[in-house]
Amino acid sequence: MPTYDIQGVPVEFPYEAYECQLAYMGSVVRALEAGSNALLESPTGTGKTLCLLCAALGWRRDRERRTAEARTSWEAQSDPNAPAMGATCQRIWYASRTHSQLKQVVHELKRTSYRPHSVVLGSREHFCVHSSVSRHTGARQNAMCKRARDENRCPFYVGLRKGQGNKVNTSCLDIEEIVSSCREASVCPFYKTREDAKEAELLLIPYDYLINPLTRESLSVSIKGSVLIFDEGHNIEKSCESVASFELTGHDIASAIVELDDAFDLLDQGIVGAEALGDMAPEALMSLFNSVKKNLLALEDSIFSEKLEKDLTAGKAMLKAKGSNILSVFGRGSSRGEGITPDDAKRICNIIRKAISVLTFSMESVTSGGMYLDKVQSLLTTMFKPDPAELDKNYMMLLYEDGETRGTKRKSVDFFSSIASTTCTAEKARTLCLWCFSCSVAMNELMQREVHSVIITSGTLSPVEGTADAFGVPFPVLLQNSHVIDTQKQLWGGVLSHGPENVRLDASYEQRDSPNYLQDLGRAVVSFAGCVPDGILLAFQSYAQKDSVIRAWRATGLWEEIAQQKPIFEEPKGNMETQAMLEKYNDALTRNKGPGAILAAVCRGKLCEGIDFTDRQCRLVIMVGIPYPSRNDLRVLMKQAFLDVRLAEGEGRKWYVREAIRAVNQTLGRVIRHRHDFGGVLLCDSRYARDGRLSALSQGLSAWLRPRMSVPNSFAEALAGCRSFFGLATAVSMPTAEAFRQGLPNAPQPELASSGNVKSKASGGRAATAPIGGQNASRPLAAAGVDVGTPLSTLTALWKSRRRHSPDQLQPEDGPVIVISDPAESSSATPSVPSVQSVPSEPLAPQGASIRGPATPQGKPQVAQQPVRDRSATAPLAGSAPKPFNRVAAARATPVASRGVFRPAGNTPQTRQSVATILKAQSTCKEDWLRRAEKLLPRMEYEQVAAAMREAAEAAEVAEGADEGSSDADGKLMAALRRAAEVLLPAFCFDTPEEKRTREALIVDCTKAILPGLLRPLWRRQVDDVLGAQGRTCDFWGRG
């Protein structure tokens, strides 16, 4: 595994790193060494997560080494840069937005050489395996879990306390694997991960859990001196503001009061055990419930006593005030009860916890479980945490009418009164909001915990400068990384200002419903759908716009015109519907010779934010309009007003634009997902351009994309540029497994396409392939009577012994039948050279026809097929034994222009049927191996294996032509085989039993589908050596 010196820190990386990856790891190490913060933008497909893990863990390992040296070495202690003797190695918190993204992080971690003690953390909802408790959520689930533990009714928690947790290793497992392992061992996954977190070196956690102080403190793991990494950080600003904000509706207050009534009834009926009461008498607890109920009634009265005014922009009656005004609303009180002050908050929260415990005493209870009381408790904690000055600085209060009327009947205030009075009002319901509009609140709270560094990274942080300012903490290390692809060859971009009928494309509120605009937009989509292969992501700025545009297209018949080019699939709103729709979309893409498909989605939706579109799934992103936040959203209006007052006039507008362009960047990033991907982006709105150049708005596009964005002078010019790109795109250096399997146009000519193929130069600079051995072209070397010494020498000796015989009499043991035609029947241009006759699996282009590049969507990669012979035409002489046939020599002796062109000699129906059967078997074997390899191996590992095997095949070709064994070629061959074996057999492997079987089958079948058969003994030797070095034995060769 390569090791790189990054800022003086050795970092092991599983592959040869690209320049952009080295730059990224350098920024990570520089921030960690200085103990500073970093804001890093690196496009999707650059291996961001892998680089982040390797750099952070490599730095931590080096720090651990230096700390150990400082304790034992006088020389190290004299180094001013050495860690202090008592210093501990920093714990790393790796946070991402969702558990599904953390699952991918664990997958990337397994690909590295680092094996830290790691654990994934989550809520009870994700980890609970108790049959009853797991059916619930929130406060009810927490309370039921507590009771099940207290009464020893949870076998999994009991198993953990009995020490069965030692049987489970949570390190390098994702959340599903942890749950499965713990369930099998009868161990509670939730508390098992909590215990492991106390000693873990790497903790993986959703970043809402890390930002929220209440959730973070419940982990009982300090973040002091830790490294905090926030991946997918383009959403962190919103998350930081959300955890410090709350909304309280009239329904919330009424429901909380009803829950107190229910708790009172349970106590009054005497069905609550001593566990819920603690050391309190039921009557005393009922009195406390009564006092809190009075507080909530007083809060309700205070909210309705505020005078509201009609806001013309929002169209609602509301009151906007500074953040500290919330204190007067809560503390005012009324005739029905006293107000709530900061001094009361702790007492009320304790009483609420008691009420929740009473409500959830019965495991079979059907009550709400205190969900609304828990919300009141959380907002009290949030509201009284900052002081009044901080509330004015970072918060705003909003009180507005919902339009609905309230009228909930409730019991009397005095529980002990015999008068069953009720209250019933017909006023419009109101909502009280305390919104934080500065993510600096959460970020500064983290910095006050004395963390070592905070690293925020994403593929779409642009514009970086505005993003850094919003966090309110310094970020000395900033990076806008380049892309791993060659953007000149693999990316096309354009701004479409006018449609085919020269109608200005403007999706602003005033123009978006114009019939002319809708008509020309549809015509543009029809045109581009006809010249772009595979999948198109048609992204709208909002759900309302998508619905109105599609409705108009259906009414005018444009929908059917578009569907004639490609079938259209709409993004649904439900998760189950989305999964079913994606399956249909993928089916349309994989259908043989199909036109592709169009996916109509919405910016900030599930498809534009959380779905990974690769290769054929997205060749072009068409962005319709500009996805500004909804201008009628109260929070958006308040945020703009807050920034204009807090900073300067116009800052609210800058934020509004920044949010829009960030959503655009996130959507456009769907088009390129790995190094060998290619595609285009089209911005269908005139506001992205001005005077023939990109507008100020477009300057916020990601740095890797912006240089490739052009502003064509006309629709025809834009269409021609797109058609030219997809017709003449240059191939990248390594094909994908998908391209190998299906012959997709996004891949170059395979340098190692199937069993025993090696790279050979062909006319026109295109790659052809020449086979060097059948799938079973050789028996074990010892059985062949050859001394098993130097590998290339052995191979050369074997091949030379075969070459002594006449090639026209021989055929491989198990490979396809070969025929070498008579020289007199060869091409007149080369009369003395025999030609190999073969049957291509695809019809060949006529001579002189235009040959598109390997990335051409309309073209098919041309791969040379196995030569075939008519047995009756070339039967060996009587008494002569069949000899091996050297297919490399035969292929070399064939004119390049004639390879793969001729039909087999003896063109009989039997021969044609035999040829078809052989080619189909070879293709099926290769496709099956690649399909299994792609499913098991990550993309970069697949590339490394393919490259190593290609080198091995090339070295074998050198050996075939050498008079004597070459030590250089020998070393190259063995090194290539060794690299492939090490990737397929990692020292630390966390495969499931099914994945283990797949991995072993890939190794066994390698020389049947990918490697030349003659290399099988050497491949086995390398596999055995790798396993031996790891202290393992090979027990699966017999299965091949």
Side-chain angles (χ1 to χ4, degrees):
M1 183 171 290
T3 300
Y4 295 90
D5 185 282
I6 308 293
Q7 306 284 326
V9 174
V11 175
E12 295 180 5
F13 199 69
Y15 316 103
E16 295 295 330
Y18 305 127
E19 288 298 323
C20 62
Q21 293 174 329
L22 294 175
Y24 187 90
M25 290 190 287
S27 297
V28 173
V29 172
R30 184 163 66 254
L32 295 178
E33 280 289 280
S36 56
N37 303 330
L39 198 62
L40 312 176
E41 182 186 53
S42 190
T44 302
T46 54
K48 175 176 72 270
T49 301
L50 190 63
C51 291
L52 196 55
L53 287 170
C54 289
L57 293 173
W59 172 83
R60 188 184 186 280
R61 178 186 289 178
D62 185 69
R63 180 89 171 184
E64 192 174 33
R65 177 190 59 79
R66 287 185 287 162
T67 301
E69 290 179 354
R71 294 192 183 104
T72 59
S73 171
W74 290 103
E75 182 179 354
Q77 293 175 23
S78 63
D79 184 357
N81 297 322
M85 291 183 62
T88 57
C89 290
Q90 284 77 2
R91 178 183 280 117
I92 298 174
W93 296 70
Y94 195 110
S96 194
R97 191 164 61 93
T98 63
H99 277 293
S100 61
Q101 291 169 339
L102 288 177
K103 181 177 181 179
Q104 181 61 28
V105 174
V106 174
H107 180 71
E108 296 292 314
L109 178 62
K110 293 177 181 179
R111 297 164 63 183
T112 72
S113 63
Y114 300 101
R115 290 297 177 267
H117 181 195
S118 64
V119 65
V120 180
L121 297 174
S123 65
R124 280 187 177 85
E125 294 180 30
H126 293 97
F127 279 115
C128 183
V129 292
H130 190 283
S131 58
S132 298
V133 179
S134 61
R135 295 199 299 265
H136 303 278
T137 60
R140 176 166 178 76
Q141 186 182 52
N142 295 339
M144 290 181 66
C145 175
K146 183 179 185 303
R147 184 170 180 207
R149 299 195 316 270
D150 292 344
E151 298 178 359
N152 289 329
R153 295 174 62 182
C154 178
F156 302 98
Y157 186 77
V158 172
L160 179 68
R161 287 290 166 258
K162 289 183 176 180
Q164 293 177 209
N166 297 330
K167 301 177 181 178
V168 180
N169 181 13
T170 60
S171 189
C172 292
L173 298 182
D174 61 41
I175 194 166
E176 289 86 358
E177 293 169 336
I178 291 174
V179 170
S180 177
S181 299
C182 288
R183 181 184 282 113
E184 291 178 2
S186 295
V187 171
C188 174
F190 180 77
Y191 283 100
K192 168 62 177 174
T193 54
R194 289 300 190 274
E195 286 188 358
D196 289 352
K198 297 175 182 178
E199 303 297 331
E201 302 164 339
L202 174 65
L203 295 97
L204 299 104
I205 186 172
Y207 55 58
D208 282 350
Y209 293 24
L210 184 55
I211 296 170
N212 191 327
L214 296 178
T215 307
R216 186 179 66 246
E217 290 168 6
S218 69
L219 301 176
S220 301
V221 181
S222 173
I223 63 171
K224 181 178 180 180
S226 298
V227 176
L228 308 185
I229 297 174
F230 294 93
D231 199 358
E232 301 298 332
H234 54 276
N235 287 316
I236 193 174
E237 182 178 352
K238 187 182 299 182
S239 295
C240 287
E241 294 176 359
S242 296
V243 298
S245 306
F246 72 79
E247 298 179 10
L248 185 67
T249 67
H251 178 265
D252 293 333
I253 298 175
S255 298
I257 293 174
V258 170
E259 288 177 342
L260 286 172
D261 292 344
D262 292 339
F264 181 89
D265 288 342
L266 291 173
L267 290 175
D268 191 35
Q269 295 169 14
I271 60 175
V272 179
E275 298 87 352
L277 295 175
D279 56 354
M280 296 188 65
E283 293 77 10
L285 194 54
M286 292 163 67
S287 177
L288 292 177
F289 291 169
N290 184 37
S291 68
V292 173
K293 181 175 180 179
K294 290 180 179 180
N295 291 136
L296 294 180
L297 291 171
L299 174 60
E300 185 178 53
D301 292 340
S302 177
I303 289 174
F304 279 90
S305 68
E306 294 285 353
K307 183 179 179 180
L308 309 184
E309 296 181 358
K310 185 77 172 183
D311 186 277
L312 298 179
T313 304
K316 292 184 178 183
M318 60 176 59
L319 170 65
K320 294 187 285 187
K322 294 181 178 180
S324 62
N325 198 63
I326 194 78
L327 299 177
S328 63
V329 174
F330 270 77
R332 182 178 296 127
S334 72
S335 60
R336 294 197 290 173
E338 297 179 352
I340 302 174
T341 65
D343 295 334
D344 299 325
K346 185 175 181 180
R347 173 185 61 84
I348 293 175
C349 288
N350 288 334
I351 296 173
I352 287 176
R353 282 192 287 270
K354 282 287 186 181
I356 294 174
S357 179
V358 169
L359 290 170
T360 57
F361 175 77
S362 173
M363 298 285 284
E364 292 76 27
S365 173
V366 295
T367 64
S368 62
M371 178 175 64
Y372 295 98
L373 285 172
D374 185 63
K375 182 175 183 179
V376 172
Q377 176 188 347
S378 298
L379 72 87
L380 290 177
T381 304
T382 300
M383 183 184 67
F384 290 119
K385 189 173 185 178
D387 57 39
E390 187 178 349
L391 285 172
D392 288 341
K393 181 180 178 182
N394 298 312
Y395 295 78
M396 288 192 72
M397 189 200 85
L398 176 68
L399 180 62
Y400 67 92
E401 287 184 347
D402 286 332
E404 299 178 354
T405 57
R406 64 180 184 129
T408 304
K409 289 187 176 182
R410 294 188 291 269
K411 296 178 181 179
S412 62
V413 174
D414 186 0
F415 288 112
F416 302 96
S417 172
S418 60
I419 302 175
S421 62
T422 62
T423 61
C424 183
T425 64
E427 296 174 305
K428 288 187 176 181
R430 294 184 174 187
T431 298
L432 178 65
C433 307
L434 181 66
W435 284 333
C436 175
F437 290 125
S438 175
C439 60
S440 62
V441 174
M443 296 305 297
N444 281 315
E445 201 274 338
L446 292 175
M447 300 306 295
Q448 290 170 5
R449 304 293 178 181
E450 300 181 21
V451 298
H452 180 82
S453 293
V454 174
I455 297 176
I456 299 176
T457 184
S458 176
T460 51
L461 290 175
S462 295
V464 173
E465 293 75 14
T467 303
D469 294 339
F471 286 120
V473 296
F475 284 90
V477 181
L478 294 175
L479 174 68
Q480 283 186 287
N481 212 359
S482 59
H483 212 298
V484 71
I485 66 169
D486 184 348
T487 56
Q488 296 292 325
K489 299 179 180 179
Q490 296 170 249
L491 181 66
W492 176 83
V495 176
L496 191 64
S497 300
H498 295 78
E501 301 299 325
N502 206 32
V503 175
R504 184 169 177 264
L505 300 182
D506 183 356
S508 60
Y509 181 77
E510 295 78 13
Q511 301 294 326
R512 68 185 183 187
D513 292 325
S514 166
N516 290 337
Y517 163 75
L518 294 172
Q519 185 81 2
D520 231 23
L521 176 64
R523 293 290 182 194
V525 173
V526 171
S527 299
F528 278 91
C531 72
V532 175
D534 304 324
I536 294 178
L537 179 63
L538 181 61
F540 294 92
Q541 64 188 23
S542 66
Y543 283 102
Q545 185 204 28
K546 178 177 78 74
D547 294 341
S548 65
V549 169
I550 291 178
R551 187 165 51 248
W553 286 351
R554 290 183 187 275
T556 58
L558 275 170
W559 182 262
E560 287 73 20
E561 290 187 39
I562 299 173
Q564 287 178 0
Q565 298 291 338
K566 297 177 185 289
I568 312 172
F569 299 86
E570 291 186 64
E571 176 183 2
K573 294 185 178 180
N575 290 329
M576 296 299 295
E577 294 85 351
T578 299
Q579 185 63 33
M581 182 275 300
L582 285 176
E583 291 177 0
K584 295 178 181 178
Y585 176 71
N586 287 323
D587 180 65
L589 291 176
T590 55
R591 199 174 298 137
N592 290 335
K593 299 182 180 179
I598 296 176
L599 189 57
V602 177
C603 280
R604 300 188 182 90
K606 294 183 291 293
L607 299 182
C608 291
E609 286 276 344
I611 302 297
D612 191 17
F613 296 101
T614 57
D615 299 322
R616 300 184 68 177
Q617 293 176 326
C618 183
R619 288 289 177 229
L620 179 71
V621 175
I622 300 178
M623 180 70 242
V624 180
I626 303 173
Y628 289 113
S630 175
R631 64 179 186 176
N632 295 324
D633 187 287
L634 292 178
R635 193 155 188 165
V636 171
L637 293 173
M638 294 281 285
K639 173 89 173 186
Q640 289 184 267
F642 171 83
L643 292 175
D644 286 340
V645 174
R646 163 83 184 279
L647 300 177
E649 188 68 28
E651 289 298 321
R653 177 65 185 177
K654 291 181 181 178
W655 168 83
Y656 191 67
V657 172
R658 189 168 68 245
E659 285 295 297
I661 202 64
R662 186 178 295 163
V664 171
N665 286 330
Q666 188 69 15
T667 300
L668 300 184
R670 304 294 101 187
V671 74
I672 300 292
R673 307 304 290 177
H674 58 82
R675 184 193 175 201
H676 304 295
D677 208 352
F678 71 94
V681 299
L682 184 67
L683 303 178
C684 289
D685 200 289
S686 59
R687 291 172 290 175
Y688 288 107
R690 184 174 183 179
D691 299 330
R693 298 190 300 271
L694 294 178
S695 65
L697 170 71
S698 299
Q699 298 305 314
L701 293 173
S702 297
W704 64 273
L705 175 63
R706 193 165 56 245
R708 292 295 296 156
M709 296 301 299
S710 62
V711 183
N713 295 320
S714 64
F715 174 83
E717 182 180 334
L719 187 63
C722 180
R723 183 181 288 114
S724 175
F725 170 79
F726 284 104
L728 301 173
T730 304
V732 291
S733 61
M734 187 66 205
T736 64
E738 179 76 3
F740 273 147
R741 194 168 60 247
Q742 299 186 19
L744 299 186
N746 67 315
Q749 295 289 358
E751 295 181 357
L752 179 61
S754 64
S755 167
N757 285 344
V758 296
K759 184 177 179 182
S760 175
K761 298 297 181 183
S763 59
R766 291 166 33 236
T769 55
I772 66 172
Q775 294 178 0
N776 299 302
S778 70
R779 298 179 299 275
L781 296 185
V786 181
D787 177 52
V788 184
T790 304
L792 279 185
S793 300
T794 303
L795 286 173
T796 301
L798 181 57
W799 288 337
K800 283 179 180 291
S801 68
R802 294 186 172 192
R803 211 166 48 230
R804 297 190 193 101
H805 305 284
S806 174
D808 62 351
Q809 301 176 356
L810 307 175
Q811 64 187 49
E813 286 180 15
D814 301 317
V817 185
I818 306 298
V819 61
I820 300 299
S821 62
D822 188 272
E825 301 173 1
S826 302
S827 170
S828 60
T830 54
S832 61
V833 181
S835 61
V836 178
Q837 303 183 23
S838 66
V839 179
S841 60
E842 293 286 337
L844 297 171
Q847 189 170 359
S850 174
I851 301 297
R852 294 182 180 271
T856 305
Q858 294 83 357
K860 290 284 186 180
Q862 299 178 5
V863 181
Q865 304 299 320
Q866 299 287 1
V868 181
R869 158 195 152 192
D870 182 356
R871 293 178 184 269
S872 62
T874 56
L877 298 176
S880 62
K883 309 288 194 306
F885 172 64
N886 191 318
R887 290 191 283 179
V888 172
R892 285 176 170 173
T894 306
V896 171
S898 67
R899 294 183 192 170
V901 175
F902 296 98
R903 296 293 185 261
N907 190 14
T908 64
Q910 293 83 359
T911 301
R912 289 194 297 270
Q913 183 177 0
S914 176
V915 169
T917 302
I918 292 170
L919 294 178
K920 182 178 180 181
Q922 291 174 339
S923 176
T924 301
C925 184
K926 177 182 66 177
E927 289 176 1
D928 178 69
W929 196 95
L930 289 170
R931 188 181 301 110
R932 289 180 291 154
E934 182 184 31
K935 184 177 181 182
L936 177 70
L937 300 176
R939 173 71 60 186
M940 295 180 71
E941 288 186 13
Y942 162 76
E943 294 174 4
Q944 191 176 19
V945 169
M949 292 181 176
R950 182 177 68 251
E951 291 181 14
E954 291 173 347
E957 184 180 20
V958 171
E960 184 276 334
D963 292 333
E964 295 181 1
S966 167
S967 59
D968 291 340
D970 177 19
K972 182 178 180 181
L973 171 63
M974 301 309 292
L977 293 178
R978 181 78 175 198
R979 283 198 304 274
E982 288 176 343
V983 174
L984 287 171
L985 292 167
F988 298 92
C989 190
F990 296 88
D991 288 343
T992 63
E994 181 180 356
E995 290 173 338
K996 180 182 178 183
R997 288 191 293 270
T998 301
R999 188 180 298 273
E1000 293 176 353
L1002 286 174
I1003 295 170
V1004 171
D1005 297 342
C1006 190
T1007 51
K1008 297 180 181 179
I1010 301 297
L1011 283 177
L1014 280 173
L1015 297 185
R1016 186 181 305 164
L1018 307 183
W1019 169 245
R1020 290 190 176 188
R1021 182 188 305 171
Q1022 290 303 317
V1023 170
D1024 291 340
D1025 289 346
V1026 169
L1027 291 173
Q1030 298 172 3
R1032 299 156 61 190
T1033 57
C1034 181
D1035 58 355
F1036 47 80
W1037 285 125
R1039 305 171 197 171

